[in-house]
Amino acid sequence: MAVDLLIARRHLAANKKQTLVAVLGVTFGIAMFILMISFMTGVNAFMETTMLSLTPDIHIYNDIKTDYRASVAAAYYQNRDLLIVVRHPKPKKVRVNLKNAENIVADLKKNPLVAGVSPMVSSQVFYNYGPVQINGYIEGVDILAESAMFDLKGKMVAGQPRNLLSTGKGIIMGSGLATKLNLSMGDMVTLATPDATSMRFRVVGIFRIGVGAVDDVRSYVTLASGQQLLGKDRSYMTDISLQLKDKSRSGSLAAEFAKRYGDKADDWESANSSVSASNLVRDVLTCVVSITLLVVAGFGIYNIMNTTIKNKRKDIAIQKAQGYAGKDIVVIFL
């Protein structure tokens, strides 16, 4: 082996220019392969982190269903041979909150497969600041659980999530919403619900997710403040967000929770099918580009080896005449 390595070094040093060109060609091909793999992997990770940064592994909520086939008139005349036509029926008042939400939260916290539970109260609101009125959404949450689940602390541009706990009527707003309302830390803003109830909140934090659909409309208050804004009691909750220890089991667990609690449960893949599809397209593109680069680099290496061996035929013949085995010659060129 020592003699083989010595001969290999002599071959490499005999024509330094050719050796340098060969090394640079292989290096460039493999470097482009690494660059493309790293770039596409990074893009996928960035897109997934950005788009799914506020998406729970499982989202439990009350799926509102409006069925206009039944009516009071039909129930009243049900035993008569009549054709009943009700025009423009008034929809009945539907329940948007989760039934028995407190017991559901307590049961989920005991589940060994669940890493985090964040109950919330969500509602459409109007943000009023001076003459400006903007439509958006408010989420009353357990801010510590919400921050641990979605890393709100790392997305804050002003203030901290725990500021909600030290302020009686505090609110954390999206950066786009704060800009539209011309609000900054310490300012007061009035929130009005569709039911005409309103409350004033003080801005104690501003976050930026990087998605306009979130930053321009969403804000956070404490769970108690959200319930008070809607005029509801402490048991009123509209959504429950879950973080699992094993994210790959979200589909099966969502079906299990929906059956157990009688509410709608969506896993993160079902709720973000477009994101998953775009990730699949980028993964396929990454594989195609990677295989192409490897094939090009492989042909480059083959061409270099083929040319080198042809130029060294006389040296190979001398080595074979001196008794070198074929495997020794292969080791020298490799």
Side-chain angles (χ1 to χ4, degrees):
M1 181 62 71
V3 177
D4 293 342
L5 292 177
L6 175 63
I7 296 174
R9 285 199 298 268
R10 291 292 174 85
H11 279 313
L12 291 173
N15 193 338
K16 294 182 180 180
K17 185 177 180 180
Q18 180 184 1
T19 300
L20 180 61
V21 170
V23 170
L24 289 178
V26 175
T27 302
F28 181 76
I30 300 302
M32 288 303 298
F33 165 74
I34 296 174
L35 176 64
M36 289 301 300
I37 287 291
S38 302
F39 176 74
M40 297 303 294
T41 303
V43 168
N44 280 356
F46 173 76
M47 294 298 294
E48 184 173 343
T49 301
T50 302
M51 299 301 295
L52 305 180
S53 58
L54 290 181
T55 301
D57 295 342
I58 297 179
H59 177 214
I60 300 176
Y61 61 99
N62 179 27
D63 189 20
I64 299 175
K65 299 178 181 178
T66 54
D67 188 357
Y68 298 107
R69 290 175 298 178
S71 67
V72 175
Y76 182 78
Y77 293 107
Q78 61 181 345
N79 295 324
R80 304 183 188 183
D81 189 14
L82 297 173
L83 175 63
I84 301 168
V85 179
V86 180
R87 300 190 183 279
H88 304 294
K90 182 179 179 181
K92 64 180 182 180
K93 188 174 182 179
V94 296
R95 175 178 58 87
V96 298
N97 63 305
L98 295 169
K99 188 177 180 180
N100 201 20
E102 290 182 314
N103 290 335
I104 294 177
V105 171
D107 185 54
L108 289 171
K109 288 182 177 179
K110 297 176 184 178
N111 195 312
L113 301 177
V114 177
V117 180
S118 177
M120 72 175 67
V121 174
S122 62
S123 175
Q124 183 180 6
V125 294
F126 295 99
Y127 297 94
N128 300 314
Y129 184 65
V132 182
Q133 187 179 73
I134 295 179
N135 184 27
Y137 292 90
I138 190 73
E139 292 188 357
V141 297
D142 178 351
I143 193 60
L144 296 181
E146 192 79 3
S147 179
M149 189 176 298
F150 301 115
D151 188 28
L152 282 180
K153 186 177 180 180
K155 299 176 176 66
M156 299 297 294
V157 295
Q160 294 296 328
R162 61 174 51 252
N163 290 352
L164 283 182
L165 303 178
S166 58
T167 306
K169 292 292 185 292
I171 184 171
I172 298 177
M173 310 188 74
S175 58
L177 183 60
T179 300
K180 290 180 180 180
L181 293 171
N182 196 26
L183 289 169
S184 57
M185 293 288 290
D187 289 340
M188 301 293 293
V189 60
T190 302
L191 270 63
T193 67
D195 294 332
T197 60
S198 63
M199 287 179 61
R200 284 173 61 81
F201 292 87
R202 185 178 299 277
V203 179
V204 297
I206 298 174
F207 66 88
R208 181 184 293 116
I209 304 298
V211 180
V214 176
D215 295 337
D216 293 347
V217 298
R218 184 178 296 184
S219 294
Y220 293 101
V221 297
T222 62
L223 184 59
S225 296
Q227 293 165 341
Q228 185 178 355
L229 174 65
L230 298 177
K232 305 296 183 180
D233 57 35
R234 296 178 63 86
S235 63
Y236 184 89
M237 300 175 193
T238 59
D239 308 80
I240 300 176
S241 298
L242 301 180
Q243 184 180 35
L244 304 178
K245 294 180 180 179
D246 184 3
K247 196 172 185 178
S248 63
R249 300 188 60 180
S250 59
S252 59
L253 286 176
E256 178 184 336
F257 292 153
K259 184 177 180 180
R260 181 187 303 177
Y261 304 125
D263 292 302
K264 183 74 171 178
D266 289 338
D267 62 285
W268 67 274
E269 287 185 300
S270 300
N272 298 274
S273 56
S274 60
V275 177
S276 301
S278 62
N279 283 345
L280 177 61
V281 171
R282 285 192 294 270
D283 288 338
V284 172
L285 178 61
T286 301
C287 291
V288 172
V289 172
S290 302
I291 292 173
T292 303
L293 288 173
L294 285 179
V295 169
V296 172
F299 273 108
I301 294 172
Y302 170 78
N303 182 53
I304 293 168
M305 293 294 292
N306 190 44
T307 302
T308 303
I309 292 172
K310 284 185 176 181
N311 292 335
K312 300 293 183 181
R313 279 184 175 182
K314 293 181 180 180
D315 300 283
I316 294 173
I318 294 173
Q319 288 175 300
K320 294 285 284 185
Q322 291 178 338
Y324 270 80
K327 63 179 182 180
D328 290 320
I329 297 173
V330 171
V331 168
I332 291 172
F333 281 98
L334 286 178

